[in-house]
Amino acid sequence: MSTASTDDAAFIRSLPKAELHMHIEGSLEPELLFALAERNGIALPYDDVEALRSAYEFADLQSFLDLYYQGADVLRTEADFADLMTAYLDRAHADGVRRVEMFFDPQTHTDRGIGFDVFMPGFLQAMDDATERTGISAGLILCFLRHLSPEAAMATFDEAEAGGYLERIIGVGLDSAEVGNPPEPFAEVFDRAAEAGLYRVAHAGEEGPPEYIWGALDVLDVQRIDHGVRAEEDPELVARLVVDKVPLTMCPLSNLELCVVDDLADHNIGRLLDLGLTVTINSDDPAYFGGYVGENYERTADALDLSRDDLVQLARNSLEASFASDDEKATWLAELDAVDAG
Ligand code: HPA
Ligand code: ZN
């Protein structure tokens, strides 16, 4: 039994949790976007914050990506990237997030002349400051844009390595337009990431077919699948995900806003949870999809009538599926057990 009561909202926020699927560029709120445009002398094709926000009506992933890449253009200086990061980490902390493993899209910046030496120091300084201020633990996952070539992905990896930044990231991922851009061509750059001791994840089965999830698992050798909504279409794949305990980082409000599902009540996360999959709840691009991780838990709980036990299990899954150290995980899991015990 669950309703979106104040009690439930407070309970959800009290659960120590990890956010494992969040694109930092997707946390750029319209207010900050306007402030950065002004600071950098950039003219926007919107009169005000409200006009921009009302443009956030998406029919599919591509219609979102068009606005998301356009929005990222206001990020120009080290301070811009630091301000973006600080705003997100403080917001996540307020939702009970102990650990965040967030995506960034270097090619969105390098392709317009903003280099690793601009965005990485901004991100890293803000992450260190937030950890000191609130205790939140944070890691970066470098995503390759799959609508660009595998050669461009390799060049991006080379650039990160040459700048000494591989030591400052925890893994690599694959995002952007999925359909027509299967995972296999990115095998070589994912192999290099593995050789460098990095974790691997990939978006798969958001709009693309179950075959892309198989490809991410068998060819890219990923430790987690981002989204994975369409896994349910293939019972053999579901069995594989259960047996190998492959976490799915699901994003219910994103799926709703991008019309991957018509109604939150139709979302399969509850069914997959009941089947024993390690599913987790995340916000994806919170500034664009109407909610941070807490709202994603709340609205999903409400739509699917999730129990408190379900919510605790979802938080537990997120902590267990994270790439944090065993010590950190043990600390947060003990805190979660304490909340669960009431
Ligand atoms: N899917 C693919 N690429 C993305 C997304 C997403 O939901 N958000 C930002 N880049
Ligand atoms: Zn995503």
Side-chain angles (χ1 to χ4, degrees):
M1 211 290 302
S2 176
T3 59
S5 70
T6 334
D7 267 11
D8 287 325
F11 178 70
I12 285 165
R13 279 170 181 75
S14 77
L15 297 172
K17 58 180 80 63
E19 171 142 73
L20 307 177
H21 185 158
M22 200 290 300
H23 303 259
I24 190 65
E25 294 89 351
S27 71
L28 178 58
E29 290 286 348
E31 288 78 6
L32 182 57
L33 195 158
F34 262 81
L36 296 183
E38 190 174 353
R39 186 155 98 185
N40 294 323
I42 300 163
L44 294 173
Y46 302 94
D47 285 342
D48 52 32
V49 165
E50 285 327 307
L52 173 57
R53 197 166 255 129
S54 60
Y56 293 175
E57 281 281 338
F58 311 114
D60 54 19
L61 175 58
Q62 189 60 55
S63 60
F64 155 70
L65 290 171
D66 293 342
L67 281 189
Y68 164 85
Y69 293 128
Q70 177 187 295
D73 184 47
V74 302
L75 298 162
R76 302 282 173 94
T77 68
E78 188 175 320
D80 298 343
F81 290 96
D83 289 351
L84 177 70
M85 180 63 75
T86 299
Y88 166 72
L89 289 174
D90 284 352
R91 187 66 188 71
H93 173 67
D95 275 357
V97 173
R98 298 294 192 277
R99 166 75 175 174
V100 51
E101 295 171 5
M102 73 200 107
F103 303 127
F104 69 113
D105 287 342
Q107 289 158 291
T108 298
H109 312 305
T110 53
D111 285 4
R112 54 191 180 88
I114 312 289
F116 273 84
D117 290 341
V118 175
F119 53 80
M120 288 303 283
F123 286 152
L124 294 167
Q125 185 64 52
M127 289 160 69
D128 287 348
D129 289 350
T131 301
E132 197 164 312
R133 196 170 58 251
T134 69
I136 196 166
S137 165
L140 287 169
I141 298 176
L142 183 163
C143 271
F144 304 113
L145 298 182
R146 70 201 304 159
H147 71 274
L148 301 178
S149 69
E151 292 74 25
M154 194 63 92
T156 301
F157 191 82
D158 284 338
E159 225 178 309
E161 187 172 49
Y165 293 116
L166 293 189
E167 290 73 38
R168 306 305 308 267
I169 65 176
I170 58 173
V172 298
L174 188 65
D175 67 0
S176 194
E178 186 183 8
V179 174
N181 297 307
E184 288 81 0
F186 296 89
E188 207 181 321
V189 73
F190 270 64
D191 282 349
R192 277 198 56 203
E195 284 160 19
L198 295 168
Y199 291 105
R200 284 89 57 208
V201 299
H203 283 55
E206 178 184 19
E207 287 186 340
E211 288 73 27
Y212 287 18
I213 303 177
W214 284 109
L217 293 171
D218 290 337
V219 180
L220 301 188
D221 195 24
V222 299
Q223 283 81 46
R224 298 195 297 243
I225 295 290
D226 299 314
H227 290 298
V229 189
R230 292 191 58 190
E232 199 182 24
E233 294 168 26
D234 180 344
E236 248 184 82
L237 176 58
V238 170
R240 162 82 181 272
L241 296 169
V242 172
V243 169
D244 287 353
K245 297 189 169 57
V246 180
L248 302 186
T249 63
M250 304 192 94
C251 309
L253 289 182
S254 164
N255 296 152
L256 181 66
E257 293 301 316
L258 301 187
C259 307
V260 169
V261 296
D262 294 332
D263 194 315
L264 265 194
D266 298 333
H267 202 284
N268 60 17
I269 190 166
R271 291 195 295 277
L272 297 176
L273 185 66
D274 289 343
L275 286 170
L277 268 86
T278 309
V279 291
T280 64
I281 287 186
N282 309 271
S283 68
D284 208 3
D285 299 281
Y288 291 87
F289 300 146
Y292 286 76
V293 69
E295 280 103 49
N296 271 269
Y297 273 73
E298 271 176 53
R299 290 189 52 195
T300 306
D302 197 24
L304 299 179
D305 215 16
L306 299 180
S307 66
R308 288 201 167 189
D309 284 351
D310 292 332
L311 293 168
V312 169
Q313 186 63 49
L314 286 161
R316 188 179 307 285
N317 287 351
S318 74
L319 296 171
E320 286 176 346
S322 97
F323 300 138
S325 69
D326 288 345
D327 279 359
E328 280 183 300
K329 288 202 226 187
T331 303
W332 301 320
L333 286 164
E335 274 183 72
L336 178 64
D337 286 338
V339 175
D340 188 25

